[in-house]
Amino acid sequence: MISPEKHQRMANAIRFLAMDAVEKANSGHPGMPMGCADVATVLFTRYLSFDPKNPLWPDRDRFVLSAGHGSMLIYSLLYLTGYEDMTIEDIKSFRQLGAKTAGHPEYGHASGIETTTGPLGQGIATAVGMALAEKKLADEFGSELQDHYTYVLAGDGCLMEGISQEAITLAGHLKLNKMIVFWDDNGISIDGAISLADSTDQHARFRSAGWNTIAIDGHDPEAIAAAIETAKASDKPTMIAAKTVIGFGAPNKAGTHKVHGSPLGADEIAATRKALGWNEEAFSIPADVLDAWRLAGLRSTKIRKDWEARLAAADAEKRAEFNRRFAGELPGTLAGAVDAYKKKLAETKPTVATRKASEDALEVINGVVTETLGGSADLTGSNNTKTSQTKSITPTDFSGRYIHYGIREHGMAAAMNGIALHGGLIPYSGGFLIFSDYCRPSIRLAALMGIRVIHVLTHDSIGLGEDGPTHQPVEHMAALRAIPNLLMFRPADATETVECWQVALENKERPSGLALTRQNLIPARTEYEERNLCAQGAYELISASDAKVSIFASGSEVEIAIKAQQQLEAKGIPARVVSVPCFELFFEQDADYQEAIIGHAAVNIGIEAGIRQGWDAIIGSTGTFIGMKSFGASGPAKELYKHFGITADAVVAAAEAKLA
């Protein structure tokens, strides 16, 4: 047991590292770390299972700082508890170019940062995925290998963001009882008092979503400990409302918005040192305090070693599967299964929508990749994301491999990030491409973090038909292609669909999206090819050595390109067709390959039932684009394609006009 005096000194170490780092950077948020130092001290010294010497230990507790603006809290904790890659020099370099200590915590910059946070609400929603993954893996591998908690520190801003509602209702429904959220109830945001903008009864809100709630004094160590004990014994997720004073200890600024997002200033820091009895110079921690923190960092070493012994004693097959999955490696049987399936497709030549082709591909993939965890945002029958292997997960049965996310696109995307970050599972889920707008902030963070999540995005164009312009994505491929490190696939048929799935799975450090059709498509690829052609991003589908016209298309428009090529050939105009399933992969090929694929035809034409943006990199600024310049309309798909001039006849006319 830590004495009240020692607790106070240990908590003050966090406070002064935070205020000194923010002061040196002349930028940052000192108030939250100062206010939450007591909660963090109790959690990290008495409850959190973690090991700075083995930071990726699979059964560690997860700690998510959802209020990421208070990043100096986590940086201070990592330094104090002895993470080797967080030094006092890193603390001094807070918010400087190239430093691990970025303005908001970034996954991959330093050990112990479980996820990138900063956009408010993302942390708590991502943590739902971590807690979900723990419960799923505990069901699969047993509590001897997966039995840990997910802790979150969230602020008022996190709870005001709409994504938090999606997150807490999903967590409550699934009874993720090993998720414990601390609400930093300090009553202050940037503009001033929370009462300026919000009067929500957060306890009632959480309870209505199936959570326990506890209210405590966030500066009383024993009250904090008692709340954690109560939460750990619950059969529901728990929200602990910790009433804190933002900027605790600052005589003139504590409890005000002045300490939220600005340095305290030299005078206020000096006054705080006096008020809290801290006589050390900036960035200096008394030896006895640092020793106490380092001992806290070693507290879980035995727990971790006991876990390693249990893993070593496990059945060899189970141990190998567990280690493979947490290493992020795919089973060796995947390539053979995909190859056999491609041979079958070359024989059967199915005419199907690519959403159905995706389901068929998943039937093969889910049979050999046991770690896939599917789902949909209430569109299972439309997205075709459920296969024979993926029984539904329910609040009382986590043996399945399919999550009904409900109509919670943003919460779903964030939870998928958490599942991927947790390890041991590969999440994929479905929605309409149009509603990727609702997922976009989480997709962007997945790309920023470099994690493997796969979004199945169906109804990918005006081809969805009668639902009309509210549901017809015209700018969405361009918008998603604008996100760095995101792979966006738009396959043309069943063969391309399984190839795109394979590439998405093989990219361990990139998220992917598959844009898939509602309407049936004739096969573009009719011959078996061992190589994964989609892995090159674009490839020549129909060649012509003397081509005067090069036609480039993606997805459903490849069918139009093939028909146009046939019509041009009949007119004596040699033409070639290039399928472009993935811009990003194509532009990562070497210059010679790109030049060979783009070619030197007199006329370049691009076809996509979306806007032109992005296509000039392939067809050139003087190339012709057959696509959308406006929103869509309500009507049968074939009529819409004629109405908007996305037809083989339009391609032929455009080519002839350019050649004239």
Side-chain angles (χ1 to χ4, degrees), residues 167-176 209-211 237 393-396 398 404 408:
I168 68 172
T169 54
L170 181 61
H173 171 71
L174 291 175
K175 300 186 185 300
L176 301 180
W211 289 58
I393 284 174
T394 73
T396 56
F398 265 66
H404 294 276
R408 301 182 179 99

Side-chain angles (χ1 to χ4, degrees), residues 371-388:
E371 61 267 38
T372 51
L373 186 64
S376 173
D378 198 53
L379 291 168
T380 298
S382 296
N383 300 150
N384 297 71
T385 43
K386 201 170 190 300
T387 65
S388 65

Side-chain angles (χ1 to χ4, degrees), residues 144-145 304-320 322-323:
E144 67 273 14
L145 296 184
R304 189 257 301 166
K305 288 182 176 178
D306 289 346
W307 176 86
E308 288 176 344
R310 292 195 299 274
L311 178 64
D315 171 81
E317 187 175 336
K318 178 194 277 193
R319 182 172 67 252
F322 186 92
N323 287 333

Side-chain angles (χ1 to χ4, degrees), residues 482-496:
I483 298 176
N485 201 43
L486 172 66
L487 295 175
M488 278 304 301
F489 297 97
R490 195 159 182 260
D493 67 359
T495 299
E496 282 200 357

Side-chain angles (χ1 to χ4, degrees), residues 17-196:
L17 284 175
M19 68 179 81
D20 290 339
V22 171
E23 188 69 21
K24 184 174 186 295
N26 195 31
S27 173
H29 300 74
M32 194 281 273
M34 295 170 71
C36 289
D38 292 305
V39 169
T41 299
V42 172
L43 180 60
F44 273 72
T45 61
R46 294 166 66 173
Y47 292 99
L48 195 75
S49 288
F50 67 105
D51 188 349
K53 305 299 182 188
N54 193 336
L56 296 179
W57 162 37
D59 202 35
R60 69 192 181 280
D61 287 340
R62 306 312 198 259
F63 173 73
V64 173
L65 182 65
S66 190
H69 56 278
S71 55
M72 270 311 305
L73 179 73
I74 186 67
Y75 300 149
S76 298
L77 288 163
L78 296 178
Y79 165 67
L80 291 168
T81 54
Y83 283 80
E84 292 177 0
D85 61 350
M86 185 60 68
T87 68
I88 197 65
E89 294 306 314
D90 293 315
I91 300 293
K92 291 178 181 178
S93 299
F94 178 57
R95 286 187 166 228
Q96 302 310 298
L97 183 63
K100 298 170 186 173
T101 45
H104 296 87
E106 292 193 37
Y107 173 73
H109 281 210
S111 302
I113 299 172
E114 300 285 3
T115 182
T116 296
T117 55
L120 294 178
Q122 280 288 340
I124 187 172
T126 301
V128 171
M130 294 178 180
L132 196 160
E134 188 277 338
K135 192 167 184 177
K136 165 61 187 162
L137 290 167
D139 182 276
E140 187 172 356
F141 289 100
S143 59
E144 67 273 14
L145 296 184
Q146 286 288 276
D147 184 15
H148 59 261
Y149 287 84
T150 302
Y151 293 95
V152 180
L153 182 53
D156 287 291
C158 295
L159 301 192
M160 277 193 266
E161 289 286 1
I163 190 174
S164 70
Q165 182 66 12
E166 297 185 27
I168 68 172
T169 54
L170 181 61
H173 171 71
L174 291 175
K175 300 186 185 300
L176 301 180
N177 62 306
K178 294 168 84 172
M179 181 173 179
I180 301 172
V181 173
F182 284 95
W183 167 32
D184 178 24
D185 182 14
N186 62 32
I188 295 293
S189 65
I190 291 174
D191 278 0
I194 293 298
S195 58
L196 286 170

